[in-house]
Amino acid sequence: MSQYGFLTNTDKCISCRSCIMACKDKNDLKPGRKFRRLYACSAGNWDTVSMGNNFNAYKPNNVFSYSLSVSCNHCADPACMRVCPAGAIGKRKDGIVFIDRERCIGCENCASSCPYNAPSLDKSAKKMEKCDFCRELLAVGEKPACVAACSMNAIEYGALEILKLKYPGAVQQAAPLGGPEKTNPSLLIVPHRKYTSGMEVLQTNLPEEVQPYER
């Protein structure tokens, strides 16, 4: 069976956070917890312009910003599954990685091993949780909550080989995320139209206290 994954189009995302809030509502997550994160990024160069008298000014050169929405990447080689001492993390034939709450012992090994900070501890239940691709919605023919909530169609899902054919310019990873070598994430990213390979990217994690509609 095909490996399922997400595709995020950074050229369409408007940072509205609808995907985050839909996910929080669907999973009944308390304030401060989320299964999907939004990274604010900027790229481009600032050219130094001499103004005389040992004074320099800086002129923007192809500077732009974009947002990147990321959840669990349902990796082909999930680090979380390798380190779970209870065998509570499984991977379905379609590639969806999930946590069995009955077997989870809340040790947080999965969280410390994940390059994408996907697993999160439910402190009241002492169980680890994360995005499970809304597998119960998929089972009845519905879209994952984050995909359904995105008014800009910036998040898509499906078999990776089909997404690759639909978006030939998509890459498996993009700044600010690291390379795919560690876990082979099932994530495709359509880069911002102004992005060029090798361009330096600055990342800012949006603080919890300034995110609107956070409950």
Side-chain angles (χ1 to χ4, degrees):
M1 185 176 287
S2 301
Q3 168 73 55
Y4 261 46
F6 286 111
L7 178 137
T8 299
N9 192 329
T10 63
D11 212 32
K12 289 184 176 181
C13 179
I14 58 173
S15 308
C16 68
R17 303 177 180 83
S18 294
C19 56
I20 295 175
M21 297 313 302
C23 177
K24 285 177 67 69
D25 286 341
K26 186 263 177 188
N27 292 288
D28 195 25
L29 299 179
K30 295 180 180 180
R33 296 188 67 214
K34 57 173 69 74
F35 292 167
R36 181 168 282 276
R37 293 176 173 81
L38 192 68
Y39 293 94
C41 310
S42 61
N45 301 298
W46 292 82
D47 296 334
T48 303
V49 180
S50 176
M51 305 298 291
N53 297 322
N54 295 320
F55 177 75
N56 293 329
Y58 296 92
K59 180 181 179 181
N61 178 6
N62 195 32
V63 174
F64 62 95
S65 62
Y66 65 92
S67 297
L68 179 62
S69 178
V70 179
S71 68
C72 171
N73 292 321
H74 301 275
C75 303
D77 184 20
C80 57
M81 190 166 68
R82 294 198 303 266
V83 302
C84 179
I89 300 179
K91 186 175 176 66
R92 305 194 328 178
K93 291 182 178 180
D94 58 8
I96 294 175
V97 179
F98 64 94
I99 297 176
D100 184 341
R101 284 177 62 91
E102 295 300 319
R103 302 181 68 174
C104 178
I105 58 175
C107 67
E108 300 188 72
N109 282 3
C110 54
S112 60
S113 69
C114 176
Y116 311 106
N117 300 313
S120 171
L121 177 67
D122 179 347
K123 294 182 179 179
S124 60
K126 295 182 172 57
K127 302 287 185 179
M128 300 303 294
E129 296 177 324
K130 69 173 191 64
C131 160
D132 66 355
F133 224 106
C134 291
R135 50 185 175 156
E136 72 275 23
L137 294 180
L138 293 182
V140 294
E142 296 184 24
K143 298 177 181 179
C146 57
V147 177
C150 182
S151 62
M152 301 302 294
N153 296 319
I155 305 175
E156 297 187 35
Y157 77 102
L160 286 180
E161 62 266 29
I162 295 177
L163 292 174
K164 288 177 181 178
L165 290 174
K166 185 176 179 180
Y167 296 94
V171 296
Q172 188 177 22
Q173 287 288 33
L177 303 180
E181 298 82 11
K182 290 183 179 181
T183 63
N184 193 14
S186 302
L187 171 68
L188 292 174
I189 299 172
V190 177
H192 191 280
R193 61 187 178 279
K194 292 186 178 180
Y195 180 83
T196 57
S197 180
M199 183 177 285
E200 182 179 1
V201 173
L202 299 177
Q203 170 196 328
T204 302
N205 290 326
L206 299 178
E208 295 283 342
E209 58 269 18
V210 300
Q211 292 191 2
Y213 318 122
E214 188 81 329
R215 62 174 176 80

